[in-house]
Amino acid sequence: TFVQALLTLGKIDHLDTKHRVVIGLYYLSRNIETREAVRAAGGVSLLVALSNKANETIRKACAAALCNMTADSGVEQVMLKKHNLVHELMIAAFVATTSTETKIVSMKALFNLLNDSAVHKAMLEGGVLWGLSELSKLGNSISAHRFAATAFANLCEDWPLDIAVPACLAAIRRFASSSDAETQRLGLQSIFILCRWSEQSGGEIIKDTLTHVSALNIIPGEGRESLL
C-alpha cells in the first residue's frame, strides 16, 4: 500500500527522503481515516523514531503528526503502552529541540492522551506534570498556557497530592496570574480544588495560595484545539 511504501522509504538513511516521508505522514494524519491506516501500518513507530533526529523540520513535522494521531478517542492506551509516548515526547520537547513551536506541539499530543482517565497514572509516573509546568514558562504562548492550565484543572480533583509540589504550584500560580481570561479562570479553578483538598488533608497550600490570589486582578472568561 501507499502507506507501507512511505514507511519503507522512511527507513532509508537519507535525510531528505526522511523529511519527505515525514511530511507525507503528517498530511495523512490530518484525516481520521488515513491516520488510522498510518497507525495500523506501524507509522507511529517511525514517527517516534524520527522525532529526535538532529533536524528541526523533521522533528516539528513528527510532533505535528503525532499530535494529530493522538486526537482520536480510544487510541490513548495503545499509543502509550506500545510507543512509550510520554517518554519519547518529553525528550522531543525538552531535550531534542530548542524550538518553542515543537515543544508546544509535542506537549499538545500528550494533552490529547490525557482525555482518557485510565492512562493518567502512567502519564503522571512518566513525568507529564513536569512538562506541563515547563509550558507555563513559555513567554506569550496563550494556546500552550490554555491547554496546560486545562490539563492541571482536569487532573487536580483526582491527583492533588501529585500536583501539590513546588513546580506544579508555581505553574498554576502563573496561569492564575495570566492576562488571558480563560487561562486565569483555569488556574483559579485548580487553586480552588487544591485549597479544598488542602483544608481536608491539613496541608499547607492554603496560606501561600490565598496570599497569591488576593493580589490578582481577576478578569472575566472561554476553549482548545487538537489538529494541526
Side-chain angles (χ1 to χ4, degrees):
T1 68
F2 174 69
V3 175
Q4 289 169 329
L6 263 185
L7 299 184
T8 300
L9 287 170
K11 295 172 184 174
I12 296 173
D13 189 18
H14 184 264
L15 197 62
D16 191 48
T17 301
K18 289 183 187 298
H19 175 229
R20 292 169 187 271
V21 166
V22 169
I23 295 299
L25 291 173
Y26 162 68
Y27 280 112
L28 289 172
S29 76
R30 297 180 68 181
N31 175 279
I32 189 168
E33 293 176 0
T34 51
R35 64 175 170 262
E36 177 51 43
V38 172
R39 277 194 294 263
V44 175
S45 295
L46 180 64
L47 289 167
V48 168
L50 296 179
S51 65
N52 298 316
K53 281 286 176 191
N55 179 286
E56 190 56 45
T57 307
I58 290 177
R59 287 196 296 260
K60 193 176 295 184
C62 284
L66 286 168
C67 183
N68 293 344
M69 300 293 282
T70 60
D72 302 318
S73 180
V75 305
E76 297 89 350
Q77 295 190 47
V78 173
M79 294 282 279
L80 279 174
K81 289 176 183 174
K82 188 173 180 180
H83 305 290
N84 195 19
L85 275 193
V86 176
H87 175 75
E88 297 294 346
L89 286 169
M90 293 277 280
I91 289 176
F94 300 109
V95 178
T97 186
T98 57
S99 162
T100 297
E101 185 180 352
T102 304
K103 289 178 191 293
I104 291 171
V105 176
S106 297
M107 289 305 297
K108 190 176 286 186
L110 292 178
F111 173 69
N112 287 342
L113 293 174
L114 284 168
N115 280 316
D116 183 357
S117 60
V119 303
H120 286 179
K121 185 173 187 294
M123 292 187 71
L124 266 61
E125 289 172 350
V128 72
L129 291 177
W130 179 84
L132 291 168
S133 299
E134 287 297 297
L135 289 183
S136 72
K137 302 174 184 177
L138 294 182
N140 299 316
S141 181
I142 289 177
S143 106
H145 292 172
R146 279 193 184 186
F147 77 72
T150 299
F152 275 118
N154 290 342
L155 291 166
C156 273
E157 199 74 62
D158 295 325
W159 305 96
L161 191 58
D162 297 84
I163 293 172
V165 297
C168 294
L169 292 175
I172 288 170
R173 287 167 182 157
R174 284 187 202 103
F175 296 141
S177 304
S178 174
S179 59
D180 174 62
E182 180 64 3
T183 303
Q184 186 181 75
R185 181 189 71 78
L186 290 161
L188 290 169
Q189 181 179 328
S190 295
I191 286 173
F192 170 74
I193 295 169
L194 290 172
C195 283
R196 186 176 60 195
W197 166 79
S198 181
E199 183 178 35
Q200 293 168 352
S201 63
E204 290 294 317
I205 296 173
I206 292 180
K207 271 185 287 183
D208 291 344
T209 300
L210 289 182
T211 301
H212 177 81
V213 171
S214 66
L216 293 178
N217 176 30
I218 306 301
I219 48 182
E222 191 200 315
R224 74 164 240 228
E225 45 204 287
S226 57
L227 284 188
L228 301 167

